[in-house]
Amino acid sequence: SQKLFMDPQLAWIKKSDLSFFWPTPFRTLRNQFYQGISLWEAFFSYQKRNNNSWNDDHHVYILARSDIFLMSPVDIPSKIESVDVLVPSWQPWSGYNDRFAIAGPNAAKVYATKGEGYKEAILARRRNPAEKLFTNAESLLKLWLLKNNLTVTEHEDKKAWALLRVRADGGRIDIDDSMEFTNGNVTLVEQLPHYLEW
């Protein structure tokens, strides 16, 4: 657990900040910030590689956490506005599901910097601990997206995106996910260990 506080990119975090979150394993909080850093690095590496020269009018971005296994096709909207974000509607936990998003260009840039938003919210909470605006990654994501005036839509079909979290300990499927997607996807859930052998 000390590794989180020793990481130069996360040195601003204090142990007292842990009290702002629901009781969860320390590993969960650590991963939340590492995912934010990873997303930022991937998005802006792509931008740098293209010399910031792409035409944003023609881009729709798919942003997914690295621990996600996509079990079914995802329909990409033919037109999405620059400030639009489409997120899953299930397991929002008082915010927005933070596993997967389809976004327009400006929205994608905001989403890719969600780690900065998390830091901003935590520092503000230190100044006013009584303001309980967030308790987890989902509520932090909601705060950040709405603060930046994005148009966020939760996908109307709860079963449309079968996104399973695959745990690092041997490809274990999160039990909440296997219960969420048994309807119509149960065969794929059973076959997941086979896919992970590739």
Side-chain angles (χ1 to χ4, degrees):
S1 65
Q2 289 301 316
K3 185 175 184 296
L4 176 63
F5 301 104
M6 294 165 60
D7 188 316
Q9 296 181 86
L10 301 174
W12 59 271
I13 298 175
K14 296 180 179 178
K15 285 189 178 182
S16 57
D17 296 333
L18 300 179
S19 65
F20 300 153
F21 296 88
W22 284 345
T24 54
F26 190 89
R27 179 181 63 214
T28 301
L29 181 61
R30 179 196 63 202
N31 290 343
Q32 175 179 314
F33 288 101
Y34 282 144
Q35 287 163 6
I37 292 168
S38 173
L39 180 62
W40 184 93
E41 288 175 346
F43 184 85
F44 288 100
S45 290
Y46 171 76
Q47 190 178 38
K48 186 176 181 182
R49 194 167 54 250
N50 288 278
N51 297 316
N52 300 320
S53 62
W54 67 73
N55 183 345
D56 275 348
D57 291 339
H58 303 295
H59 275 71
V60 172
Y61 293 85
I62 298 173
L63 304 122
R65 281 186 2 196
S66 57
D67 63 343
I68 294 301
F69 183 83
L70 182 60
M71 293 174 46
S72 59
V74 173
D75 289 330
I76 307 298
S78 58
K79 180 66 177 168
I80 189 165
E81 298 299 325
S82 186
V83 296
D84 289 347
V85 183
L86 185 61
V87 296
S89 58
W90 42 269
Q91 294 184 8
W93 306 121
S94 303
Y96 294 134
N97 185 309
D98 69 335
R99 300 183 205 177
F100 185 87
I102 297 173
N106 287 336
K109 289 171 188 172
V110 171
Y111 195 100
T113 57
K114 65 181 182 177
E116 294 176 22
Y118 294 1
K119 177 179 179 179
E120 192 177 289
I122 289 171
L123 294 178
R125 181 98 179 253
R126 281 185 201 164
R127 293 189 294 272
N128 188 1
E131 260 191 32
K132 297 183 177 179
L133 298 176
F134 63 86
T135 55
N136 53 25
E138 291 82 2
S139 52
L140 278 170
L141 178 62
K142 184 173 184 177
L143 277 175
W144 181 240
L145 298 184
L146 296 183
K147 178 180 180 179
N148 284 276
N149 301 312
L150 300 186
T151 304
V152 183
T153 304
E154 294 181 281
H155 198 294
E156 58 190 22
D157 183 356
K158 291 196 173 200
K159 302 295 182 185
W161 296 345
L163 307 163
L164 296 183
R165 287 169 295 178
V166 180
R167 300 309 189 190
D169 54 353
R172 181 173 58 86
I173 303 168
D174 187 280
I175 188 65
D176 292 340
D177 297 349
S178 60
M179 292 170 64
E180 190 88 46
F181 294 110
T182 52
N183 184 14
N185 289 304
V186 65
T187 304
L188 287 173
V189 171
E190 291 168 352
Q191 292 177 356
L192 182 58
H194 167 72
Y195 295 136
L196 297 175
E197 290 172 3
W198 291 358

